[in-house]
Structures are given as C-alpha cells and as structure tokens.
C-alpha cells in the first residue's frame, strides 16, 4: 500500500509540474515536495532578496549619479565692507558681547573675529564672513538697534550749521547730531563727534565765547582730567574725554562738551583763540 501511495504522489507531481526530493544525508529529511507554480512564480513563503527573507529594494534610477553638495549660504558682508548695515551688525554683536569696539561702520579685523566666534559657538562654519544663516541667527538673538546704538562711538553726519555759526570763528556745537564743527567765515574746517552732560547736569545752550584755555587741566570739582580744555560757560568747557573714547555714548559728562578723538581736539586746541564764538544748539 505504501508503494502505491508514493506512486500516486509521483503521478500527481508530474501533472502539476512538481518534483520529488528524496531524503538527503543521514538523519536529515527535507520536505518531500517542492512546488513550483507554472510561469516561474515562487511558491508561498519564498521571496527573492537574500537570507533575511525581505525583498530587495527596487533600484532607483538616479543611484548611479553623483550627489550634488548644497550651495553655501550667500555672504552679506565681509572684511573691507563699510556702511550702515555693517554698523547694525556691529551693534548687534555688541548686544551679545562678541564685540566691544564701535560700531565703526567698517568691517575690520575685530568684527571678523567677533563673527567667527559667534559662528563657532553656534556650530556654524567659522568663516568670519556674515552670511544669511549667521545673520538670521543673530537677528533672533538681538533687538533692533537705536540711532545712538549705531553711533555709540560717534561717526554720524553733522546737521547743517546753525545760522549763528556762519560768520566769524565759531565752535558750532549741535546737540541733535552730536557733532562739533570748527567753522571760519562760514567754512567748515573740521568736524568731530561730541558728548554732552546728563539730564541732571545738562550742557547749557546759547551763544558764548572761549574765555580760557588750559592744556592739561584737571577738574577741582570732580578730580578728573580735562585735557585741551576750552572754557566757554562757567565750568563748562570743550575738552578731550578718555571715558568718551572708551565707552562712547554709554556715558555722559557733567555738563562739558566731550571729544573722543584726541588727535582732532589737539589740532582744534591749537587753532582756537580766546574770544572765539561758541554756539550750542539743538
């Protein structure tokens, strides 16, 4: 009866396209029947693709093409650039304590170093150049700078001179633009940034004249140096201020007109005479 049963299987396999596998190896048996369906379709439970049984991924048409690296962000400003935008960059770098000079409006070595440090701290490429990615990161971390944030150390343009400055020899001082013009017969000889007194000790406005010059003056009231002092109203004078040179408009005087450029005021001091007019106006 066993032989008849095996013979029947052989006949059935022949009719369905099957093959019979005989036992292989001692003590090892494989499935007696391996079924291959017509048309080469694999039987259930058997998939192409390797030993893990998962199908091979379909090939992508572009797999053999070289990958293109993403374009680097556009550079907005770099060393050597100048202008108002550079001032804003510097003012914002000051807010996050990466820059302590300026703003000057010129992208120099200090600004490049500050940008590089800012980039490295945030995992960006340390190029020292302000690209679009660096700028957007800085914008999110800072506030819009005000006018005197941009001109913390001076450098703003002088407003047109007061009409009272157009004749004679005049120290024409403008509180609005924070500038001093040295004018002779309506011509501007030099211009420099100046700082004034605080709310509690304001610089007086009006028309005065220089009544005393003191090259190495020291204030007896505040015990502070006042080099190149040119007194025009009581104890108020135009003079060089080391504090203004260091801190800019972050500070204020006790009523005097401070100049931060020592070379410029030294030249001015040599030209101004006692009796020359002083105009202080808004």
């Amino acid at each position: 009866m066993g032989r008849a049963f095996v013979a029947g299987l052989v006949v059935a396999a022949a009719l369905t396209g099957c093959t019979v596998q005989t036992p292989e190896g001692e003590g090892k048996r494989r499935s007696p029947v391996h079924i291959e369906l017509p048309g080469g379709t694999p039987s259930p439970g058997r998939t192409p693709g390797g030993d893990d049984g998962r199908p091979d991924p379909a090939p992508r048409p572009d797999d053999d093409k070289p990958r293109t690296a993403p374009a680097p962000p556009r550079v907005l400003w770099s060393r050597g650039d100048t202008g108002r935008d550079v001032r804003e960059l510097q003012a914002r770098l000051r807010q996050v304590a990466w820059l302590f000079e300026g703003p000057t409006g010129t992208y120099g070595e200090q600004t490049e170093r500050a940008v590089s440090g800012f980039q490295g701290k945030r995992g960006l490429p340390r190029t020292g150049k302000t690209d679009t990615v660096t700028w957007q990161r800085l914008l999110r971390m800072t506030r819009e700078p005000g006018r005197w944030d941009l001109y913390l150390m001076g450098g703003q343009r002088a407003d047109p001179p007061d009409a009272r400055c157009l004749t004679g020899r005049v120290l024409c001082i403008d509180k609005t633009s924070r500038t001093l013009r040295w004018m002779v017969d309506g011509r501007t000889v030099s211009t420099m940034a100046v700082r004034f007194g605080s709310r509690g000790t304001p610089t007086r406005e009006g028309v005065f004249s220089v009544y005393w010059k003191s090259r190495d003056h020291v204030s007896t009231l505040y015990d502070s140096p006042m080099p190149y002092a040119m007194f025009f109203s009581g104890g108020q004078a135009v003079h060089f201020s080391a504090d203004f040179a260091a801190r800019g408009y972050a500070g204020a005087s006790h009523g005097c007109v401070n100049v931060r450029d020592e070379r410029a005021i030294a030249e001015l001091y040599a030209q101004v005479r006692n009796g020359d007019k002083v105009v202080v106006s808004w």
Side-chain angles (χ1 to χ4, degrees), residues 57-67:
R60 294 176 55 180
D62 60 348
D63 275 352
D64 58 343
K65 295 181 180 178
R67 303 296 177 116

Side-chain angles (χ1 to χ4, degrees), residues 17 28 32 44 57 66 70 75 77 83 97 102 109-110 144 160 182 191 194 230 245 247 254 266 277:
K28 296 181 181 178
V75 173
W77 311 289
E109 180 183 355
Q110 295 298 323
E144 178 76 19
W182 168 232
T191 305
V194 290
M230 294 169 279
R247 296 201 299 146
H254 291 101
K277 185 162 58 174

Side-chain angles (χ1 to χ4, degrees), residues 193-216:
V194 290
R195 186 177 73 172
F196 304 101
S198 64
R199 187 185 297 265
T201 56
T203 303
R204 290 184 280 274
E205 298 145 31
V207 179
F208 312 93
S209 62
V210 175
Y211 70 87
W212 180 36
K213 294 172 61 179
S214 179
R215 167 64 180 79
D216 298 306

Side-chain angles (χ1 to χ4, degrees), residues 91-93 95-96 137-145:
R92 289 181 182 272
L93 286 169
Q95 291 179 33
V96 291
R137 182 69 63 88
L138 184 59
L139 286 179
R140 290 196 296 269
M141 296 178 62
T142 55
R143 59 172 175 79
E144 178 76 19

